[in-house]
Amino acid sequence: GWAYDPAADEMVGTEETYRIYEVSPNDDLSLEESLSFYPEETASAFRDAARRCLEHGEPFEIEGPMTTPKGTSRWVRVQGEARRENGTVVRMVGTVQDLTERHEIEERLREQKNWLRSITENISGGIYRSTKEGLVYANQAFLDLFGYENLDEMVDANPRSFYVNPDVRSELLRREIAEGGLDGAEVEYRRKDGSTFTGLLRSTQVTDEKGRTKYFDGVVTDISEQKAREQELKVAKQEAEEASRLKSALLANMSHEIRTPLTSIIGFAGVLRENLTGEYARYADLAYRGGERLMETLDSVLQLSKLEAGVAIPSSETMDLVSRVRDTVDLHRPQAESAEVTLHFEAASDEVIGTWGPTAVQRILSNLVGNALKFTPKGGSVTVRVEEGDGTARLSVRDTGIGISESFQPRLFDAFTQESEGLEREHEGSGLGLAIVNRLVDLLDGEIDVESTKGKGTCFTVRLPL
Ligand code: ADP
């Protein structure tokens, strides 16, 4: 409480008033001194109100910020009225309330409300609040989703009409109440114009203190496009699997159909080669070697398709890589001799023991050494090296051959690719060898790297886990 004596220009207050203003009861304050706690705008409102109160007896009530002499910021409400004696105003009395805490809470609440509004209006998902009876709030995105002009129009619509199957509404409500909300239900919705879409619904049940349902707050996102894409992908996958199955069947059939006659061709060409002389013997020899090449290609195609289909998983056994590699290198000595390329074998230790598929290892090495010999001109050299370290066995095939251009390297391991293609092709081959190598290394949980400089040479390194 406070009282003001206009004759003495003196303010007095109760203990609580002094506490709020943080002044001592001994400090006699004039009206102007007491107004100095307020910012100018509030102070002048007080000044006017005090004048009107004193002159005309008008009561007042003003709210605003203040700062005490000690620097504390507060929010106060001051109320005042006139006291008369014999018809003239002799005093002004009133109350002052400290509303700082309440003001702060209101302020925070207002901020949160604004925040909520900006979220709900800016988010792309449709947000709503509903009761068991129907919709009470929806953001713009929700209205857009369902094709309604404004909230009133949508609130007035029959809530069952939002669903392709109106019975779904009661089913969803039942689940929302039982489970306290829905965690991503796919719902077929109907728009105002009758068109439909698939929505993903997430909702929470809001209850009162007694646990009774008050509201359902939810978000609906249109997932029609996503569903359509999923469907397309599924169909595409089925088609791809069917195509792959057909390819395997075709390859298996064709290889059988080709292999049988080819075996006769090679066999009889071999016999003729032995028994003919002169030019005819050369023709028979060409037929024989052509047949062999065809057979090799056929085998590669078949091998790769089996590897890709996952049919041919290499069986593994404990073996010594050094001796296995030495043997395989030896098998290539005749090829090296006729190519006039020196073939070296090096091993960093006597043995490298590990568990791998021996056939797979041999096939990898044969392909790499075969290529190295094929792509190294006369007088060059090919070095095969085995070593171990860092938990891996390392197998490298280095040649001083023609090298591989950087632009071709990324496609090196693709099937049917060769650096020199078409009519300019200088080397025989199907372009399948490295694709097979790559698949096999993969199946052995290994890695393959290539380093190559055009015109200088190439080095393939295979790392196999020990
Ligand atoms: P192919 O040797 O049957 O053509 P590959 O898959 O084994 O098929 O090799 C693909 C291509 O990679 C070869 O045609 C060649 O262009 C290149 N290549 C492979 N190994 C070497 C190598 N050691 N030196 C140079 N080029 C190579």
Side-chain angles (χ1 to χ4, degrees):
W2 56 269
Y4 175 68
D5 177 356
D9 188 18
E10 199 177 273
M11 278 280 183
V12 287
T14 61
E15 223 173 277
E16 179 65 2
T17 306
Y18 291 120
R19 191 200 64 78
I20 293 172
Y21 284 81
E22 295 187 318
V23 291
S24 145
N26 306 323
D27 297 340
D28 292 336
L29 294 180
S30 68
L31 179 65
E32 273 310 312
E33 278 169 337
S34 70
L35 292 184
S36 68
F37 303 143
Y38 297 95
E40 190 39 48
E41 206 183 323
T42 322
S44 80
F46 271 126
R47 203 172 289 118
D48 288 349
R51 189 178 45 74
R52 279 201 302 275
C53 185
L54 291 169
E55 285 173 11
H56 312 292
E58 269 178 40
F60 65 88
E61 187 178 304
I62 291 174
E63 218 182 281
M66 67 161 292
T67 310
T68 70
K70 290 188 177 164
T72 312
S73 296
R74 295 198 200 288
W75 188 270
V76 293
R77 179 190 290 159
V78 179
Q79 171 263 321
E81 60 192 57
R83 282 279 184 278
R84 296 170 202 261
E85 263 170 36
N86 305 324
T88 47
V89 176
V90 290
R91 260 186 316 149
M92 215 162 43
V93 297
T95 56
V96 50
Q97 268 176 291
D98 182 1
L99 298 182
T100 312
E101 220 170 296
R102 207 182 82 181
H103 182 72
E104 275 172 8
I105 291 170
E106 278 172 357
E107 210 34 27
R108 233 176 296 148
L109 212 64
R110 196 173 29 247
E111 271 173 27
Q112 272 180 1
K113 256 185 171 163
N114 287 339
W115 188 43
L116 202 65
R117 180 171 316 125
S118 61
I119 290 176
T120 48
E121 289 311 321
N122 291 327
I123 207 160
S124 61
I127 295 179
Y128 69 88
R129 164 166 279 194
S130 71
T131 61
K132 280 183 214 171
E133 283 67 46
L135 203 65
V136 291
Y137 166 79
N139 69 349
Q140 191 59 45
F142 194 85
L143 296 172
D144 293 345
L145 203 54
F146 284 84
Y148 283 86
E149 293 286 314
N150 55 56
L151 185 57
D152 290 341
E153 186 193 20
M154 194 164 184
V155 168
D156 290 341
N158 179 355
R160 284 167 59 85
S161 70
F162 304 149
Y163 301 87
V164 170
N165 170 6
D167 295 338
V168 164
R169 186 179 133 78
S170 39
E171 168 61 18
L172 288 173
L173 271 178
R174 195 188 58 68
R175 277 179 54 200
E176 278 175 321
I177 294 168
E179 296 162 29
L182 292 171
D183 183 24
E186 277 183 22
V187 183
E188 295 298 321
Y189 289 108
R190 188 186 296 285
R191 293 192 187 89
K192 184 183 162 197
D193 66 7
S195 62
T196 64
F197 68 94
T198 309
L200 186 72
L201 167 65
R202 287 202 185 81
S203 68
T204 327
Q205 182 188 206
V206 181
T207 54
D208 63 13
E209 309 90 78
K210 294 200 175 105
R212 288 175 304 208
T213 305
K214 257 177 105 177
Y215 300 115
F216 301 101
D217 285 336
V219 186
V220 174
T221 20
D222 185 349
I223 54 165
S224 306
E225 259 178 51
Q226 186 187 327
K227 295 290 287 179
R229 264 202 307 274
E230 271 171 27
Q231 186 55 32
E232 275 169 28
L233 270 179
K234 222 193 267 168
V235 171
K237 182 164 177 275
Q238 276 166 0
E239 283 172 358
E241 278 168 356
E242 177 63 10
S244 169
R245 206 187 53 73
L246 278 176
K247 183 194 78 176
S248 299
L250 177 83
L251 281 174
N253 280 343
M254 287 308 287
S255 83
H256 181 75
E257 285 307 305
I258 295 172
R259 196 190 295 269
T260 316
L262 196 55
T263 311
S264 320
I265 292 172
I266 295 169
F268 292 122
V271 174
L272 289 176
R273 187 174 64 164
E274 298 295 312
N275 294 294
L276 291 172
T277 50
E279 209 173 338
Y280 294 116
R282 205 168 66 79
Y283 294 157
D285 184 50
L286 284 176
Y288 177 86
R289 283 195 285 148
E292 292 257 86
R293 243 182 80 193
L294 204 54
M295 191 67 111
E296 270 168 34
T297 305
L298 192 65
D299 281 340
S300 298
V301 170
L302 212 67
Q303 236 177 57
L304 187 66
S305 86
K306 274 190 193 156
L307 283 171
E308 304 228 295
V311 184
I313 305 290
S315 62
S316 44
E317 61 185 58
T318 303
M319 57 181 250
D320 169 27
L321 197 62
V322 175
S323 57
R324 172 72 55 163
V325 171
R326 185 185 293 117
D327 292 349
T328 312
V329 169
D330 285 342
L331 287 178
H332 285 86
R333 296 229 176 263
Q335 190 192 345
E337 257 161 46
S338 65
E340 293 175 46
V341 171
T342 31
L343 181 55
H344 301 285
F345 170 73
E346 295 173 356
S349 54
D350 290 346
E351 284 185 333
V352 175
I353 307 289
T355 307
W356 305 285
T359 339
V361 172
Q362 182 169 344
R363 209 170 274 161
I364 290 168
L365 191 63
S366 277
N367 275 315
L368 293 179
V369 174
N371 275 346
L373 292 171
K374 190 160 79 178
F375 295 108
T376 301
K378 262 186 206 158
S381 71
V382 171
T383 309
V384 180
R385 190 179 161 78
V386 185
E387 58 199 331
E388 71 172 283
D390 300 334
T392 56
R394 209 161 44 240
L395 186 65
S396 59
V397 180
R398 181 185 299 276
D399 66 53
T400 59
I402 62 170
I404 303 162
S405 69
E406 230 163 273
S407 59
F408 181 65
Q409 286 181 21
R411 292 187 297 133
L412 197 56
F413 296 104
D414 295 347
F416 301 112
T417 51
Q418 294 173 311
E419 187 163 9
S420 66
E421 282 176 328
L423 294 174
E424 285 113 84
R425 255 181 67 174
E426 300 155 26
H427 304 272
E428 295 179 350
S430 57
L432 288 170
L434 287 180
I436 293 173
V437 166
N438 194 36
R439 276 304 289 155
L440 287 171
V441 170
D442 229 30
L443 287 170
L444 295 175
D445 289 327
E447 277 170 34
I448 184 162
D449 281 326
V450 62
E451 266 173 57
S452 187
T453 312
K454 197 79 190 147
K456 289 244 159 66
T458 305
C459 181
F460 282 93
T461 308
V462 176
R463 284 185 192 76
L464 300 174
L466 272 175

